């Protein structure tokens, strides 16, 4: 990786914390000049300085690995700890169920689906069997040409949105699994990226239930800024982008579907 990448990451963390270069230099026992050189790529921080900077910036352990990799020190990032089953069976399941009749799912740091509610399970039926075998990977299921991509009307826009999201996760986490996943799914055949627009929300325009629905999603992460098991888990909730979509989902949810928790 280029040396300048670690500088860009450190600068981003410093700005998140509202610190000037002088503030951080004093906290990390270094000079403002040297810190400036690190941020602009003119100097490479050693492991000791990098550890002090990460400490003073409060960078979570998993994201510290990205700093070391970007600086060329390359410790192999630790695989995220498994999410304890009692957490999935408790808090997460209640949140997923509360979002019905609209789709919601939980996924781990490598984009593998951990749990999903009944409307999301209904949409998962659009996937072929080979993409529904555990662990179901959210990006692979969404972008594989045999997967959800076949049913997405605005595939160019939605593909660009997902690839951008995955790229950001890959950079900030430093996880080799995400780098490999990004390489894989970005190589799937698909329409060319659309021209940039000023839209605030990416809307998924999907053929489902014998009609077309429009959804936008939000992603939330537990315990932002901390390093806990639950922190490895994110929730994605889908919301109707119009009244017709809301009615379609209210009518489509059969009571016979299994309760939240089955990722397939």
């Amino acid at each position: 990786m280029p040396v300048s990448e670690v500088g860009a990451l450190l600068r981003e963390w410093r700005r998140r914390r509202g610190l000037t270069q002088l503030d951080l230099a004093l906290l990390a026992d270094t000079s403002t000049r040297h810190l400036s050189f690190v941020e602009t790529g003119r100097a490479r921080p050693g492991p000791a300085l990098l550890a002090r900077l990460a400490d003073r910036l409060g960078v979570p352990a998993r994201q510290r690995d990205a700093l070391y990799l970007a600086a060329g020190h390359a410790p192999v990032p630790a695989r995220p700890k498994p999410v304890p089953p009692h957490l999935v069976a408790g808090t997460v399941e209640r949140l997923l169920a509360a979002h019905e009749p609209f789709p919601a799912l939980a996924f781990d740091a490598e984009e593998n689906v951990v749990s999903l509610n009944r409307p999301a399970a209904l949409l998962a039926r659009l996937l072929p069997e080979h993409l529904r075998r555990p662990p179901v990977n959210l990006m692979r299921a969404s972008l594989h040409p045999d997967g959800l991509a076949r049913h997405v009307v605005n595939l160019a826009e939605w593909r660009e949105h997902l690839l951008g999201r995955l790229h950001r996760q890959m950079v900030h986490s430093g996880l080799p699994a995400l780098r490999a996943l990004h390489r894989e799914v970005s190589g799937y055949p698909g329409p060319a990226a659309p021209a940039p627009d000023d839209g605030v929300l990416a809307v998924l325009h999907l053929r489902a239930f014998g009609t077309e629905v429009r959804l936008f999603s939000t992603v939330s992460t537990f315990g932002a800024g901390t390093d806990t098991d639950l922190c490895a888990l994110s929730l994605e909730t889908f919301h109707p982008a119009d009244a017709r979509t809301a009615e379609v989902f209210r009518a489509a949810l059969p009571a016979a579907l299994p309760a939240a928790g089955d990722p397939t």
Side-chain angles (χ1 to χ4, degrees):
M1 290 187 180
V3 172
S4 59
E5 186 173 337
V6 70
L9 289 172
L10 285 169
R11 184 167 56 249
E12 180 180 340
W13 279 107
R14 178 173 60 78
R15 289 175 175 172
R16 286 187 193 181
R17 303 309 188 217
L19 298 174
T20 66
Q21 284 187 343
L22 177 59
D23 294 332
L24 182 56
L26 290 171
L27 290 170
D29 194 24
T30 188
S31 69
T32 306
R33 183 171 183 266
H34 186 55
L35 179 58
S36 176
F37 280 10
V38 168
E39 288 193 356
T40 58
R42 296 175 64 185
R44 185 175 79 164
L49 174 58
L50 201 53
R52 293 201 307 275
L53 291 169
D55 283 341
R56 303 311 183 264
L57 290 167
V59 179
R62 281 184 296 275
Q63 282 138 331
R64 290 187 190 207
D65 289 341
L67 291 176
Y68 280 94
L69 287 167
H73 302 307
V76 177
R79 189 178 180 88
K81 297 176 183 178
V83 178
H86 72 276
L87 292 177
V88 174
T91 304
V92 174
E93 300 302 339
R94 286 193 295 273
L95 290 170
L96 295 180
H99 193 67
E100 294 184 2
F102 308 119
L105 55 89
F107 60 94
D108 66 17
E110 295 180 358
E111 299 282 341
N112 293 316
V113 177
V114 173
S115 184
L116 73 179
N117 68 3
R118 294 183 298 169
L122 197 57
L123 289 179
R125 293 182 177 181
L126 296 172
L127 300 174
E129 183 180 352
H130 71 93
L131 290 175
R132 296 178 61 187
R133 296 191 193 112
V136 177
N137 185 272
L138 181 58
M139 292 293 167
R140 188 175 292 117
S142 298
L143 296 174
H144 193 285
D146 294 338
L148 203 63
R150 294 184 304 161
H151 306 277
V152 178
V153 177
N154 61 332
L155 182 57
E157 292 84 358
W158 190 246
R159 183 175 186 271
E160 188 74 1
H161 165 69
L162 290 183
L163 288 177
R165 185 174 104 184
L166 179 58
H167 184 268
R168 290 189 294 274
Q169 288 296 102
M170 174 191 79
V171 169
H172 289 301
S173 71
L175 289 172
L178 288 189
R179 191 170 296 278
L181 179 62
H182 184 271
R183 186 166 53 247
E184 175 191 337
V185 299
S186 61
Y188 291 160
D197 61 35
D198 297 326
V200 176
L201 292 172
V203 175
L204 171 62
H205 185 176
L206 184 67
R207 289 184 290 268
F209 312 119
T211 184
E212 293 183 4
V213 295
R214 291 173 173 82
L215 300 158
F216 67 90
S217 75
T218 60
V219 177
S220 56
T221 303
F222 284 95
T226 63
D227 184 36
T228 65
D229 288 343
L230 196 53
C231 223
L233 200 64
S234 297
L235 297 183
E236 183 161 19
T237 55
F238 288 86
H239 309 265
D242 53 48
R244 172 172 168 72
T245 295
E247 288 306 314
V248 167
F249 273 93
R250 290 189 181 102
L253 180 62
L257 274 175
D262 179 5
T264 60

